[in-house]
Amino acid sequence: MKISYNWLKEYLDVDLTPEALAEKITDAGLEVEEIIHTVQEVSNIVVGKVRTCTRHPDADKLSICTVYDGEQEQQVICGAPNVAAGQTIPFARVGARLPNGMKIKKAKIRGTQSFGMICSREELALEEHSDGIWELSDKWPAGTDMNEVLKEKSDVVFDLFITANRADCFSHIGIAREIAAFTAREVRMPHFELKESNDTDIHNMVKVSIEYSQGCPRYAARLIRNVTIQPSPDWLVQRLEAVGLRSINNVVDVTNFVLYELGQPLHAFDYETLSGGEIRVRASQKDEKFITLDDNERLLPENTVMICDAEKAVAIGGIMGGQNSEVTDHTTSVLLESAYFDPTHVITSSRKLGLMTDASQRFEKGTDYNMVPFALDRAAALIAELSGGEVAQGVIDVYPTPITDKQVPLPLPKVNKILGATLSDEEIIDLLSRVHLNYANGLVSVPSYRHDINEPVDLIEEVARLKNYDNLPTSVFEPLSLEQPERIRETSFTRLRTLLTQCGLQEIFTNSMMAEKHLISTGPAEHVRILNPISDDLACMRTSILSGLLLSMAYNINRNQRDLRFFEIGRVFFKGSEEIPEQPTRIGLALTGNRYPESWSHAGDRVDFYDLKGVLESFFNGLHLDNVQFVLYDDNTLYKKGYAAQILWNNRIIGHGGLIDSKVAQRFGIHVEIFGAELDYDILENIINRELKYTPIPKFPYIEKDVAFVIDKNHPVASVIDMIRTYGGRLLKEVTVFDVYEGDKIPEGKRSVAFRLRFQSLERTLKDSEVEQIFRKIIKRAQKEHDIPLRDQ
């Protein structure tokens, strides 16, 4: 929330510096995140007069201008489309330094000398983007220091963080009330004179009815006729720009001005577009659609508050108006709305629509239902003044069941008991009265704008805040040790994270909620939908840890970060037999990009399936898990066919991995190869052996034997390794693949796979004869029982 210092001074006599005022705002319990000075002091920049302006002979988009700077005429090359002779402009002389650090030098542009620069608002740091130069008022004589001109636009803006429960502080009047409570000053409500025309009575032209009072307890309207839509005056534009709003036209700007002044959202309709001059407030119908001001057709959730005329919907109550009734340059009559919409209805509809506006943010936090008529009159008077319009006589204020102001009990002795203070009853009552919380006969009357005051403890908190926490006594307690032994699960996670990091992966944390289109199916279980999602992008709970990894990879790839190795440990969610979903823990890995950083010695080889397999094998070795197998399988929609493997330990599935199918990757906006894997942590946790026994390095030598088998291309190499281990016995310590060959002398559809077998004993030196006997047994069994011939046969 941005608050303008100059604007604030219209409602409060403030003689504090901006920095001192920021301290007072902080004392009020509101966090000042930043103090922004809207104007920076400049040097050697003056007011100039454009005497002549002609097109550059060698550039269609450049102009050669003669600028008088109060002392002499200077030739300047300008590329702005709106520069013209006779203009009064900011002129940066040679040697000037702009707020962005740029120094103005003499230059030659397309063969023509240029001595300075004609400046835009952007170049003077007054706005983020300018379409042309800044044309000043002719009242400024040439040579005037631009700092004198900038004084008119000088302001200080406080960027505040306001908690959701303090809806009353989302306006300049709300902040003024808080400052007044801490500075013993009085707030001035805006003064205006509302003149009504005797020629027209609003009751003869407008009819308002509320059919859905649960969503809209109060609706008021005024009619302003004979308006002229035109640009807003400078003072109004400056007020809006100070808080980050763009000026649109005099009518719309007034509604935004009053929103930031009083905290009451308003909406202006083009009266001529309202069928029958009627306003009906009703609930939306099933499957009803509506085109909002931002040119989007939206499917409305049921029971959304809709503002309608006699024939059609014209606005979503408290959120956004419609295209069919917006104020345009041709508007001549304006129906002005001021209403109180129920916060629960607004927040529900806003979240389901994925549509948040300045108005909806205030309505969902709770606006002041008693401010409705005052804000309406304030805006109507301003619109009439700025547009030359006439306010029709009378006001329509439909309020079927007036809301009763709250009375909260406050036992005065309880205040000191909770705060540990010794405040007198009179001091407590005086402190509360500073924020218009008036105490009488054990009850405190709560203003209609203070939705956060509901319990006695809320009032006690106000007393502490107004007294200032630093002025309350503190109690000394014996320090308690809160150290707790690390849980087994956290210890396990730490170990897994360490191993995966050592494998060259980087840990990330992603959202458990995501769009339905990003759900990855890894089994038959049904996914969990969120009943009241913030937006469609956060509508479901993830079913695979890989979803978040792919989203993160897409984000990085789109920003030219392409060599990525991520992992994440977290929960996934499936519908269970009961209301609570199943929440197993998964470990996810994802790799993409080059195997090594590009250099003269590496051509930038891309990672492939074997890089993923290598990472997983290193990970399992770190967990001391033997007998882990990677078995190809095609019964999935996540991985590319022929590049998918189930990961088994002792024939038990502990995960899966492979090359992410291109159709899946494209759903995430990814068009490069991604290799991913997902492991079941809950299974791993049960099979990891934590009681390891270490043995010394064997002192007896080992014997290695090589053998090459010819196997089908589709035959899993892991099963051959299992066969070798089975027949190798206890002396066989290691089996590795060191060569794979396809080509001459190898039948089509086959491949030669060479294995190196290492035999070793911990007790003695092996004899060649006994190793040869085991080796021949393996070859014989492979040929006869498994039909796996040697390569040379």
PDB file of all heavy atoms in Angstrom, residues 559-582:
ATOM      1  N   ARG A 559      15.213 -18.923 -18.991  1.00  0.00           N
ATOM      2  CA  ARG A 559      16.136 -17.834 -18.633  1.00  0.00           C
ATOM      3  C   ARG A 559      17.583 -18.221 -18.953  1.00  0.00           C
ATOM      4  O   ARG A 559      18.512 -17.728 -18.318  1.00  0.00           O
ATOM      5  CB  ARG A 559      15.943 -17.467 -17.152  1.00  0.00           C
ATOM      6  CG  ARG A 559      14.637 -16.721 -16.938  1.00  0.00           C
ATOM      7  CD  ARG A 559      14.111 -16.843 -15.529  1.00  0.00           C
ATOM      8  NE  ARG A 559      12.857 -16.113 -15.406  1.00  0.00           N
ATOM      9  CZ  ARG A 559      11.679 -16.585 -15.808  1.00  0.00           C
ATOM     10  NH1 ARG A 559      11.605 -17.769 -16.373  1.00  0.00           N
ATOM     11  NH2 ARG A 559      10.580 -15.853 -15.664  1.00  0.00           N
ATOM     12  N   ASN A 560      17.710 -19.107 -19.949  1.00  0.00           N
ATOM     13  CA  ASN A 560      19.018 -19.504 -20.493  1.00  0.00           C
ATOM     14  C   ASN A 560      19.921 -20.192 -19.475  1.00  0.00           C
ATOM     15  O   ASN A 560      21.149 -20.143 -19.593  1.00  0.00           O
ATOM     16  CB  ASN A 560      19.736 -18.290 -21.099  1.00  0.00           C
ATOM     17  CG  ASN A 560      19.055 -17.802 -22.359  1.00  0.00           C
ATOM     18  OD1 ASN A 560      18.607 -18.602 -23.169  1.00  0.00           O
ATOM     19  ND2 ASN A 560      18.954 -16.490 -22.521  1.00  0.00           N
ATOM     20  N   GLN A 561      19.333 -20.816 -18.462  1.00  0.00           N
ATOM     21  CA  GLN A 561      20.091 -21.678 -17.554  1.00  0.00           C
ATOM     22  C   GLN A 561      19.769 -23.118 -17.955  1.00  0.00           C
ATOM     23  O   GLN A 561      18.707 -23.629 -17.626  1.00  0.00           O
ATOM     24  CB  GLN A 561      19.700 -21.402 -16.099  1.00  0.00           C
ATOM     25  CG  GLN A 561      19.901 -19.972 -15.668  1.00  0.00           C
ATOM     26  CD  GLN A 561      21.345 -19.545 -15.737  1.00  0.00           C
ATOM     27  OE1 GLN A 561      22.242 -20.283 -15.320  1.00  0.00           O
ATOM     28  NE2 GLN A 561      21.598 -18.352 -16.266  1.00  0.00           N
ATOM     29  N   ARG A 562      20.683 -23.754 -18.692  1.00  0.00           N
ATOM     30  CA  ARG A 562      20.316 -25.000 -19.370  1.00  0.00           C
ATOM     31  C   ARG A 562      21.000 -26.251 -18.822  1.00  0.00           C
ATOM     32  O   ARG A 562      20.577 -27.355 -19.110  1.00  0.00           O
ATOM     33  CB  ARG A 562      20.613 -24.869 -20.874  1.00  0.00           C
ATOM     34  CG  ARG A 562      19.841 -23.700 -21.490  1.00  0.00           C
ATOM     35  CD  ARG A 562      20.052 -23.609 -22.983  1.00  0.00           C
ATOM     36  NE  ARG A 562      19.311 -22.487 -23.542  1.00  0.00           N
ATOM     37  CZ  ARG A 562      18.030 -22.529 -23.857  1.00  0.00           C
ATOM     38  NH1 ARG A 562      17.354 -23.644 -23.676  1.00  0.00           N
ATOM     39  NH2 ARG A 562      17.412 -21.467 -24.362  1.00  0.00           N
ATOM     40  N   ASP A 563      22.071 -26.093 -18.066  1.00  0.00           N
ATOM     41  CA  ASP A 563      22.754 -27.255 -17.489  1.00  0.00           C
ATOM     42  C   ASP A 563      22.270 -27.420 -16.058  1.00  0.00           C
ATOM     43  O   ASP A 563      22.771 -26.767 -15.130  1.00  0.00           O
ATOM     44  CB  ASP A 563      24.274 -27.061 -17.533  1.00  0.00           C
ATOM     45  CG  ASP A 563      24.788 -26.899 -18.963  1.00  0.00           C
ATOM     46  OD1 ASP A 563      24.121 -27.395 -19.876  1.00  0.00           O
ATOM     47  OD2 ASP A 563      25.849 -26.272 -19.138  1.00  0.00           O
ATOM     48  N   LEU A 564      21.279 -28.296 -15.865  1.00  0.00           N
ATOM     49  CA  LEU A 564      20.560 -28.362 -14.595  1.00  0.00           C
ATOM     50  C   LEU A 564      20.583 -29.778 -14.026  1.00  0.00           C
ATOM     51  O   LEU A 564      20.394 -30.760 -14.763  1.00  0.00           O
ATOM     52  CB  LEU A 564      19.097 -27.913 -14.802  1.00  0.00           C
ATOM     53  CG  LEU A 564      18.903 -26.561 -15.497  1.00  0.00           C
ATOM     54  CD1 LEU A 564      17.435 -26.358 -15.826  1.00  0.00           C
ATOM     55  CD2 LEU A 564      19.408 -25.426 -14.625  1.00  0.00           C
ATOM     56  N   ARG A 565      20.784 -29.857 -12.724  1.00  0.00           N
ATOM     57  CA  ARG A 565      20.737 -31.148 -12.011  1.00  0.00           C
ATOM     58  C   ARG A 565      20.045 -30.890 -10.676  1.00  0.00           C
ATOM     59  O   ARG A 565      20.668 -30.370  -9.753  1.00  0.00           O
ATOM     60  CB  ARG A 565      22.153 -31.707 -11.804  1.00  0.00           C
ATOM     61  CG  ARG A 565      22.840 -32.101 -13.112  1.00  0.00           C
ATOM     62  CD  ARG A 565      24.285 -32.510 -12.882  1.00  0.00           C
ATOM     63  NE  ARG A 565      24.877 -32.946 -14.145  1.00  0.00           N
ATOM     64  CZ  ARG A 565      25.392 -34.138 -14.373  1.00  0.00           C
ATOM     65  NH1 ARG A 565      25.380 -35.043 -13.413  1.00  0.00           N
ATOM     66  NH2 ARG A 565      25.925 -34.446 -15.530  1.00  0.00           N
ATOM     67  N   PHE A 566      18.755 -31.200 -10.594  1.00  0.00           N
ATOM     68  CA  PHE A 566      17.934 -30.878  -9.427  1.00  0.00           C
ATOM     69  C   PHE A 566      17.516 -32.148  -8.697  1.00  0.00           C
ATOM     70  O   PHE A 566      17.386 -33.224  -9.290  1.00  0.00           O
ATOM     71  CB  PHE A 566      16.664 -30.135  -9.847  1.00  0.00           C
ATOM     72  CG  PHE A 566      16.912 -28.731 -10.353  1.00  0.00           C
ATOM     73  CD1 PHE A 566      15.964 -28.101 -11.156  1.00  0.00           C
ATOM     74  CD2 PHE A 566      18.061 -28.038 -10.025  1.00  0.00           C
ATOM     75  CE1 PHE A 566      16.165 -26.817 -11.611  1.00  0.00           C
ATOM     76  CE2 PHE A 566      18.269 -26.754 -10.466  1.00  0.00           C
ATOM     77  CZ  PHE A 566      17.327 -26.143 -11.269  1.00  0.00           C
ATOM     78  N   PHE A 567      17.263 -31.997  -7.393  1.00  0.00           N
ATOM     79  CA  PHE A 567      16.564 -33.045  -6.655  1.00  0.00           C
ATOM     80  C   PHE A 567      15.665 -32.398  -5.615  1.00  0.00           C
ATOM     81  O   PHE A 567      15.870 -31.245  -5.207  1.00  0.00           O
ATOM     82  CB  PHE A 567      17.546 -34.026  -6.002  1.00  0.00           C
ATOM     83  CG  PHE A 567      18.171 -33.550  -4.709  1.00  0.00           C
ATOM     84  CD1 PHE A 567      17.562 -33.787  -3.477  1.00  0.00           C
ATOM     85  CD2 PHE A 567      19.382 -32.869  -4.719  1.00  0.00           C
ATOM     86  CE1 PHE A 567      18.143 -33.357  -2.294  1.00  0.00           C
ATOM     87  CE2 PHE A 567      19.976 -32.431  -3.545  1.00  0.00           C
ATOM     88  CZ  PHE A 567      19.355 -32.673  -2.324  1.00  0.00           C
ATOM     89  N   GLU A 568      14.651 -33.139  -5.186  1.00  0.00           N
ATOM     90  CA  GLU A 568      13.735 -32.663  -4.151  1.00  0.00           C
ATOM     91  C   GLU A 568      13.217 -33.859  -3.364  1.00  0.00           C
ATOM     92  O   GLU A 568      12.981 -34.932  -3.926  1.00  0.00           O
ATOM     93  CB  GLU A 568      12.555 -31.892  -4.749  1.00  0.00           C
ATOM     94  CG  GLU A 568      11.605 -31.349  -3.682  1.00  0.00           C
ATOM     95  CD  GLU A 568      10.469 -30.516  -4.246  1.00  0.00           C
ATOM     96  OE1 GLU A 568      10.288 -30.493  -5.484  1.00  0.00           O
ATOM     97  OE2 GLU A 568       9.747 -29.899  -3.441  1.00  0.00           O
ATOM     98  N   ILE A 569      13.050 -33.645  -2.072  1.00  0.00           N
ATOM     99  CA  ILE A 569      12.441 -34.659  -1.206  1.00  0.00           C
ATOM    100  C   ILE A 569      11.167 -34.040  -0.643  1.00  0.00           C
ATOM    101  O   ILE A 569      11.203 -32.968  -0.037  1.00  0.00           O
ATOM    102  CB  ILE A 569      13.391 -35.060  -0.058  1.00  0.00           C
ATOM    103  CG1 ILE A 569      14.722 -35.582  -0.620  1.00  0.00           C
ATOM    104  CG2 ILE A 569      12.735 -36.108   0.830  1.00  0.00           C
ATOM    105  CD1 ILE A 569      15.767 -35.863   0.435  1.00  0.00           C
ATOM    106  N   GLY A 570      10.042 -34.680  -0.854  1.00  0.00           N
ATOM    107  CA  GLY A 570       8.787 -34.107  -0.369  1.00  0.00           C
ATOM    108  C   GLY A 570       7.638 -35.088  -0.511  1.00  0.00           C
ATOM    109  O   GLY A 570       7.793 -36.205  -1.006  1.00  0.00           O
ATOM    110  N   ARG A 571       6.476 -34.623  -0.079  1.00  0.00           N
ATOM    111  CA  ARG A 571       5.286 -35.477  -0.104  1.00  0.00           C
ATOM    112  C   ARG A 571       4.528 -35.317  -1.419  1.00  0.00           C
ATOM    113  O   ARG A 571       4.525 -34.259  -2.031  1.00  0.00           O
ATOM    114  CB  ARG A 571       4.355 -35.128   1.062  1.00  0.00           C
ATOM    115  CG  ARG A 571       4.931 -35.451   2.439  1.00  0.00           C
ATOM    116  CD  ARG A 571       3.890 -35.239   3.526  1.00  0.00           C
ATOM    117  NE  ARG A 571       4.410 -35.471   4.850  1.00  0.00           N
ATOM    118  CZ  ARG A 571       4.520 -36.650   5.428  1.00  0.00           C
ATOM    119  NH1 ARG A 571       4.105 -37.729   4.767  1.00  0.00           N
ATOM    120  NH2 ARG A 571       5.009 -36.774   6.647  1.00  0.00           N
ATOM    121  N   VAL A 572       3.847 -36.392  -1.802  1.00  0.00           N
ATOM    122  CA  VAL A 572       2.857 -36.361  -2.880  1.00  0.00           C
ATOM    123  C   VAL A 572       1.516 -36.772  -2.277  1.00  0.00           C
ATOM    124  O   VAL A 572       1.456 -37.278  -1.149  1.00  0.00           O
ATOM    125  CB  VAL A 572       3.262 -37.280  -4.046  1.00  0.00           C
ATOM    126  CG1 VAL A 572       4.554 -36.802  -4.692  1.00  0.00           C
ATOM    127  CG2 VAL A 572       3.422 -38.722  -3.575  1.00  0.00           C
ATOM    128  N   PHE A 573       0.437 -36.561  -3.019  1.00  0.00           N
ATOM    129  CA  PHE A 573      -0.886 -36.687  -2.421  1.00  0.00           C
ATOM    130  C   PHE A 573      -1.822 -37.474  -3.344  1.00  0.00           C
ATOM    131  O   PHE A 573      -1.895 -37.210  -4.556  1.00  0.00           O
ATOM    132  CB  PHE A 573      -1.471 -35.297  -2.152  1.00  0.00           C
ATOM    133  CG  PHE A 573      -0.603 -34.455  -1.277  1.00  0.00           C
ATOM    134  CD1 PHE A 573       0.469 -33.743  -1.816  1.00  0.00           C
ATOM    135  CD2 PHE A 573      -0.814 -34.375   0.089  1.00  0.00           C
ATOM    136  CE1 PHE A 573       1.293 -32.956  -1.018  1.00  0.00           C
ATOM    137  CE2 PHE A 573      -0.002 -33.604   0.903  1.00  0.00           C
ATOM    138  CZ  PHE A 573       1.049 -32.901   0.348  1.00  0.00           C
ATOM    139  N   PHE A 574      -2.547 -38.437  -2.751  1.00  0.00           N
ATOM    140  CA  PHE A 574      -3.541 -39.216  -3.476  1.00  0.00           C
ATOM    141  C   PHE A 574      -4.790 -39.339  -2.613  1.00  0.00           C
ATOM    142  O   PHE A 574      -4.708 -39.310  -1.377  1.00  0.00           O
ATOM    143  CB  PHE A 574      -3.027 -40.625  -3.797  1.00  0.00           C
ATOM    144  CG  PHE A 574      -1.731 -40.646  -4.542  1.00  0.00           C
ATOM    145  CD1 PHE A 574      -0.533 -40.897  -3.884  1.00  0.00           C
ATOM    146  CD2 PHE A 574      -1.695 -40.399  -5.902  1.00  0.00           C
ATOM    147  CE1 PHE A 574       0.661 -40.924  -4.559  1.00  0.00           C
ATOM    148  CE2 PHE A 574      -0.504 -40.432  -6.592  1.00  0.00           C
ATOM    149  CZ  PHE A 574       0.683 -40.683  -5.923  1.00  0.00           C
ATOM    150  N   LYS A 575      -5.940 -39.495  -3.246  1.00  0.00           N
ATOM    151  CA  LYS A 575      -7.169 -39.721  -2.502  1.00  0.00           C
ATOM    152  C   LYS A 575      -7.096 -41.066  -1.791  1.00  0.00           C
ATOM    153  O   LYS A 575      -6.754 -42.082  -2.387  1.00  0.00           O
ATOM    154  CB  LYS A 575      -8.378 -39.691  -3.433  1.00  0.00           C
ATOM    155  CG  LYS A 575      -8.887 -38.287  -3.722  1.00  0.00           C
ATOM    156  CD  LYS A 575     -10.261 -38.303  -4.340  1.00  0.00           C
ATOM    157  CE  LYS A 575     -10.792 -36.884  -4.495  1.00  0.00           C
ATOM    158  NZ  LYS A 575     -12.123 -36.863  -5.121  1.00  0.00           N
ATOM    159  N   GLY A 576      -7.417 -41.037  -0.495  1.00  0.00           N
ATOM    160  CA  GLY A 576      -7.391 -42.257   0.281  1.00  0.00           C
ATOM    161  C   GLY A 576      -8.786 -42.799   0.523  1.00  0.00           C
ATOM    162  O   GLY A 576      -9.785 -42.269   0.019  1.00  0.00           O
ATOM    163  N   SER A 577      -8.873 -43.825   1.324  1.00  0.00           N
ATOM    164  CA  SER A 577     -10.173 -44.428   1.630  1.00  0.00           C
ATOM    165  C   SER A 577     -10.976 -43.544   2.574  1.00  0.00           C
ATOM    166  O   SER A 577     -12.188 -43.650   2.650  1.00  0.00           O
ATOM    167  CB  SER A 577      -9.964 -45.813   2.251  1.00  0.00           C
ATOM    168  OG  SER A 577      -9.138 -45.720   3.406  1.00  0.00           O
ATOM    169  N   GLU A 578     -10.286 -42.659   3.299  1.00  0.00           N
ATOM    170  CA  GLU A 578     -10.968 -41.745   4.198  1.00  0.00           C
ATOM    171  C   GLU A 578     -10.837 -40.321   3.670  1.00  0.00           C
ATOM    172  O   GLU A 578     -10.327 -40.092   2.572  1.00  0.00           O
ATOM    173  CB  GLU A 578     -10.366 -41.871   5.602  1.00  0.00           C
ATOM    174  CG  GLU A 578     -10.479 -43.289   6.175  1.00  0.00           C
ATOM    175  CD  GLU A 578      -9.848 -43.392   7.549  1.00  0.00           C
ATOM    176  OE1 GLU A 578      -9.341 -42.368   8.053  1.00  0.00           O
ATOM    177  OE2 GLU A 578      -9.858 -44.498   8.116  1.00  0.00           O
ATOM    178  N   GLU A 579     -11.323 -39.338   4.456  1.00  0.00           N
ATOM    179  CA  GLU A 579     -11.283 -37.952   4.012  1.00  0.00           C
ATOM    180  C   GLU A 579      -9.861 -37.429   3.893  1.00  0.00           C
ATOM    181  O   GLU A 579      -9.556 -36.596   3.045  1.00  0.00           O
ATOM    182  CB  GLU A 579     -12.079 -37.064   4.977  1.00  0.00           C
ATOM    183  CG  GLU A 579     -13.579 -37.309   4.935  1.00  0.00           C
ATOM    184  CD  GLU A 579     -14.335 -36.326   5.802  1.00  0.00           C
ATOM    185  OE1 GLU A 579     -13.692 -35.396   6.342  1.00  0.00           O
ATOM    186  OE2 GLU A 579     -15.554 -36.470   5.932  1.00  0.00           O
ATOM    187  N   ILE A 580      -8.966 -37.913   4.766  1.00  0.00           N
ATOM    188  CA  ILE A 580      -7.582 -37.454   4.731  1.00  0.00           C
ATOM    189  C   ILE A 580      -6.857 -38.158   3.586  1.00  0.00           C
ATOM    190  O   ILE A 580      -6.871 -39.382   3.492  1.00  0.00           O
ATOM    191  CB  ILE A 580      -6.878 -37.749   6.062  1.00  0.00           C
ATOM    192  CG1 ILE A 580      -7.584 -37.015   7.200  1.00  0.00           C
ATOM    193  CG2 ILE A 580      -5.402 -37.345   5.997  1.00  0.00           C
ATOM    194  CD1 ILE A 580      -7.026 -37.318   8.573  1.00  0.00           C
ATOM    195  N   PRO A 581      -6.184 -37.409   2.696  1.00  0.00           N
ATOM    196  CA  PRO A 581      -5.504 -38.060   1.569  1.00  0.00           C
ATOM    197  C   PRO A 581      -4.247 -38.795   2.015  1.00  0.00           C
ATOM    198  O   PRO A 581      -3.673 -38.528   3.069  1.00  0.00           O
ATOM    199  CB  PRO A 581      -5.147 -36.879   0.656  1.00  0.00           C
ATOM    200  CG  PRO A 581      -5.082 -35.700   1.566  1.00  0.00           C
ATOM    201  CD  PRO A 581      -6.104 -35.944   2.635  1.00  0.00           C
ATOM    202  N   GLU A 582      -3.847 -39.765   1.198  1.00  0.00           N
ATOM    203  CA  GLU A 582      -2.572 -40.438   1.431  1.00  0.00           C
ATOM    204  C   GLU A 582      -1.441 -39.484   1.061  1.00  0.00           C
ATOM    205  O   GLU A 582      -1.519 -38.768   0.061  1.00  0.00           O
ATOM    206  CB  GLU A 582      -2.493 -41.706   0.580  1.00  0.00           C
ATOM    207  CG  GLU A 582      -3.526 -42.752   0.961  1.00  0.00           C
ATOM    208  CD  GLU A 582      -3.434 -43.988   0.072  1.00  0.00           C
ATOM    209  OE1 GLU A 582      -2.475 -44.055  -0.730  1.00  0.00           O
ATOM    210  OE2 GLU A 582      -4.316 -44.854   0.164  1.00  0.00           O
TER     211      GLU A 582
END
